[in-house]
């Protein structure tokens, strides 16, 4: 009995918003809340919810500078998060590579479907 590559997908990272967050964080030393919100185009409350889920899983860590309304929250991906992101990406690439449809010379994207 072989295991399906689907079992290697990280359930936490199958959510597009969380995958996008970890992707941004994996390519930077740290990123602040405002940048993530604006870059991903999601609301404060939605971003907070997604960040909390990732932080609870140990995929990212947070820090605050300042106090009150002037404080800035920054986030960085952890070693655990980076490893999960790498495994998830490798699994997606393997699935996509394994699922390439055969090339059909008669098929053209610009062909009239009628």
């Amino acid at each position: 009995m072989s295991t399906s590559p689907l079992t290697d997908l990280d359930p936490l990272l199958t959510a597009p918003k969380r995958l996008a967050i970890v992707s941004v964080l994996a390519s930077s030393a740290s990123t602040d809340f405002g940048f993530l919100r604006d870059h991903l185009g999601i609301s404060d409350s939605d971003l907070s919810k997604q960040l909390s889920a990732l932080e609870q899983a140990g995929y990212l860590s947070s820090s605050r500078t300042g106090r009150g309304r002037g404080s800035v929250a920054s986030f960085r991906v952890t070693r655990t998060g980076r490893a999960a992101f790498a495994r998830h990406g490798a699994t997606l690439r393997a699935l996509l590579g394994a699922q390439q449809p055969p090339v059909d010379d008669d098929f053209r994207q610009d062909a009239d479907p009628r």
Side-chain angles (χ1 to χ4, degrees), residues 76-92:
R76 69 174 191 82
V77 70
T78 62
R79 221 175 253 171
T80 301
R82 195 172 298 281
F85 179 64
R87 275 191 312 276
H88 190 76
T91 301
L92 286 173

Side-chain angles (χ1 to χ4, degrees), residues 37-67:
R37 178 197 59 223
D38 297 343
H39 185 71
L40 300 174
I42 58 178
S43 69
D44 287 1
S45 61
D46 195 7
L47 180 57
S48 289
K49 178 182 170 185
Q50 304 305 330
L51 288 167
S52 292
L54 290 165
E55 193 165 18
Q56 286 176 354
Y59 286 13
L60 60 87
S61 63
S62 64
S63 63
R64 283 198 171 276
T65 57
R67 296 186 141 216

